Structures are given as structure tokens and as C-alpha cells.
Amino acid sequence: MRLRLVPSETNINFFRFAGLTFGASVVAVIASIILFLTMGLNFGIDFRGGTTIRTESVQSIDVGAYREAIDALDLGDISITEVFDPTFRDDQNVAQIRIEAQPGEESASTETILAVEQALQQVDPSITFPAVESVGPKVSGELIQAAILAVTGALVAIVIYIWLRFEWQFSVGAVAALIHDVAITIGLFSLLQIKFDLAIIAALLTIVGYSINDTVVVFDRTRENLRKYKTMPLVEVLNLSANETLSRTLMTSTTTLLALLALLFLGGDVIRGFVFAITWGVVVGTYSSIYVAKNVVLMLGVKRDWSGTDKPKGNKFADIDA
């Protein structure tokens, strides 16, 4: 007996409020862009520059105690992570502390670093500081450019893949859904001023992968049904395909969210921003695969007959079943 989150005979009309849902998505994307341009993002140390201090101690590292000691110095954004390595000795406990660049400085000053060291020595007298490194504005700027290229490259590669696998209309629908997901996620981070660092870039790429996977499942079933029901109106074919894949969509989203919510509430501050971004991305990705991608395909229309003698011109790979 298989578990189904929705009955097999489910027939939800996803296009009943197509104008409202698609219009809301357009408004949300525009609002996100405005928020990004006006409020900006709360960039972390990776993008703003700062100083990294490596510590070693024979005592176990208490991240909470470290953070409490440094917070008293009012240095702004502080990141503390414990470093694990199988080559470390049993009594070698290593942590990495990152401090954002102070106003008017490219990195933390000697006085600031000394104050941090003294504060940590109050917590753990055995602590040592084997390395101090700074990330200047130039490196931070290069990281921002690399992050933009990574996200843009992922979107371009996905567009090419969808175009080869399906029709160009599906490719446009898929990229519209991806832009929707990424833009709204960035807008939410801008609105809430959640720290935006390289971990969030990784989360955005994960969102792109998750969203396109869900979209491809719906599109693949749509292509099958377009061949099977040659006279059925396109809107009904899209509805049928969404309903047939709804159980799979909800099952995947629900199981993913269960793991993410556990990490969100129990994973700690270090990964909370990353997990929050992916959690939000799973929700909007599931929404966009149904209410954004399919709406775009419906507006553009699709060639109904892909049989051997009438293949789409200029797209000889459209019928590849890979």
C-alpha cells in the first residue's frame, strides 16, 4: 500500500485564479527589486571585508562563551565557527573568528585584534592565536562578482538544457520561474536584513537546482500528455499534468521541509541563514513550478505534434528523452 498525500483522482483547477496568482508573482518580483535597490543587502564579512583570527586551545571550545566575550566589544558582525580536522591532536581545539571591517578601515586594527585576544583569554587562559588574516575591499569585490557569475551561469546552463530537452516555450517558462524564486529570496533577505554571505549564494544555487527539478517533472508529464491528448486544450493538459505530479511534488517538498525545519530550529546560528534561504526557496520553488512556469507556457503556446515527420524547426533535440 503506497502513501499518497493527495487522492489519485484529484482534479484541482490551477488556472482558476491564474490572473491573480501570476499577477501577484509579478508584483512580488518588482517589489523585491525595489527593496534590493533601496534597502540593499546586509552583506557579511565575505563581501564587506574584515579580519579572520584563528585560535587554538587545549580546552573544548565554547562558541557561546566566545561570542559573549566578543559581543561586549561592540565590533558589529562576528562569525565564530569551530574547525574540525582528522589530523588534529586530541588536545588541539581550533576555532575561526571573523570580524567585519570597522568604519573607515579595510580590516580590524591592531588595537581591535588585541582587544579580541584579551577578551578570549579571559574565557580561556590557554588560548593562542596562531594566525590572523584580513580580507580587503578588493577581494570582497571579486567575491561579489564571482557570486553573480555563479548564479547567472547556472541560469544560462539551465535555459540551454530545457531548450534542448523541450520546446523554447518551456525554456522561457522555466527561467521565468527561476528568476521569480531568486528575486523573491533576495528581496526577503533585503527586507529582513538577514546577513548575506557566501553561504547564501550556495543556498541560492541550491534553490535554483531544486526549483528546476520540480519544474522539469511537471514539464515532462506535460510533454507526454500533449502527445497523448492531441485535441485536448493546452490549459487542460497543463492542469492534468500538474494534478498527476502533485502527489510527487508535495511528497518531495514535505520531506525536504521536515529536514530543513529541524536544522532551522536546532542547527544553531552558524547555518541558520543558509537553512532559512533554502527553506524559503523550497516553498517558492514549489509555487513557481505550478503557478509561474505553466502560466508562461500557456501564454506562449506550444506546438502540439512532435511526431517524427513534423519535428520543431531549429530544435532537433526537442524530442530527446534523457
Side-chain angles (χ1 to χ4, degrees), residues 129-146:
F129 308 93
V132 177
E133 299 177 350
S134 295
V135 178
K138 182 178 180 180
V139 175
S140 299
E142 292 174 352
L143 288 175
I144 294 176
Q145 294 177 4

Side-chain angles (χ1 to χ4, degrees), residues 28-42:
V29 170
I30 295 174
S32 296
I33 294 174
I34 294 175
L35 284 171
F36 172 73
L37 295 177
T38 56
M39 298 181 62
L41 292 169
N42 180 20

Side-chain angles (χ1 to χ4, degrees), residues 105-176:
E105 301 177 356
E106 292 189 0
S107 59
S109 64
T110 303
E111 292 77 11
T112 299
I113 295 173
L114 182 60
V116 171
E117 293 178 352
Q118 291 176 344
L120 293 175
Q121 286 171 344
Q122 296 295 320
V123 177
D124 181 1
S126 67
I127 196 171
T128 59
F129 308 93
V132 177
E133 299 177 350
S134 295
V135 178
K138 182 178 180 180
V139 175
S140 299
E142 292 174 352
L143 288 175
I144 294 176
Q145 294 177 4
I148 294 173
L149 289 176
V151 176
T152 304
L155 293 176
V156 171
I158 287 171
V159 169
I160 294 173
Y161 166 75
I162 299 296
W163 200 326
L164 294 179
R165 182 174 172 86
F166 302 101
E167 291 279 289
W168 67 268
Q169 295 92 334
F170 290 100
S171 180
V172 175
V175 76

Side-chain angles (χ1 to χ4, degrees), residues 21 36 54 75 97 107 131 133 180 185 195 211 269:
T21 56
F36 172 73
R54 184 183 178 91
L75 298 177
I97 302 171
S107 59
E133 299 177 350
H180 168 273
T185 302
K195 185 173 66 175
S211 179
D269 293 335

